[in-house]
Amino acid sequence: QVQLVESGGGLVQAGGSLRLSCAASGIIFNINTMGWYRQAPGKQRELVAAITGGSITNYADSVKGRFTISRDNAKNTVYLQMNSLKPEDTAVYYCNAESRLLGVPVSYWGQGTQVTVSS
């Protein structure tokens, strides 16, 4: 099992910045890709950014150039630096880890952290 604990959400004005952190613990040696998803009220959960074990990154078009995902394997932590925040970035942000258990792909989720951007 893998436990993911997020931190760093909050309230910020448009144009501001926030940094989210997600610390992984438990059976972490099989984790490959880690990422951040978000879900706004009334909308489906969507991928924001992801990073593989080899540090290949992928971003949603809506956040390219504003958000940066990074990973510290020594600390088993993934970060999301969010700059130039917009009101439409308001959502609950979830950390995700993709792993394998006995060869079977398994997806783990954090509890979510609220990000609110005021106009």
Side-chain angles (χ1 to χ4, degrees):
Q1 295 293 328
V2 173
Q3 294 80 42
L4 301 173
V5 179
E6 302 121 332
S7 60
L11 173 64
V12 65
Q13 288 188 331
S17 298
L18 283 174
R19 188 194 196 204
L20 305 183
S21 300
C22 172
S25 62
I27 305 175
I28 60 175
F29 64 89
N30 276 342
I31 292 176
N32 184 10
T33 300
M34 296 188 73
W36 290 94
Y37 287 71
R38 68 186 179 187
Q39 188 166 18
K43 294 188 177 181
Q44 289 188 333
R45 190 173 297 190
E46 62 176 0
L47 174 69
V48 176
I51 184 168
T52 68
S55 297
I56 297 173
T57 58
N58 181 39
Y59 294 94
D61 288 343
S62 59
V63 307
K64 284 180 180 177
R66 300 188 297 122
F67 291 10
T68 302
I69 190 169
S70 61
R71 185 169 178 168
D72 185 334
N73 289 326
K75 295 182 178 180
N76 303 314
T77 300
V78 63
Y79 305 96
L80 185 68
Q81 178 66 43
M82 304 185 293
N83 299 328
S84 303
L85 282 161
K86 304 176 181 180
E88 51 264 43
D89 295 317
T90 296
V92 178
Y93 284 69
Y94 296 91
C95 180
N96 169 263
E98 299 295 327
S99 183
R100 283 187 174 271
L101 187 63
L102 300 178
V104 177
V106 179
S107 186
Y108 296 96
W109 295 92
Q111 80 283 359
T113 185
Q114 177 71 46
V115 171
T116 303
V117 184
S118 64
S119 57

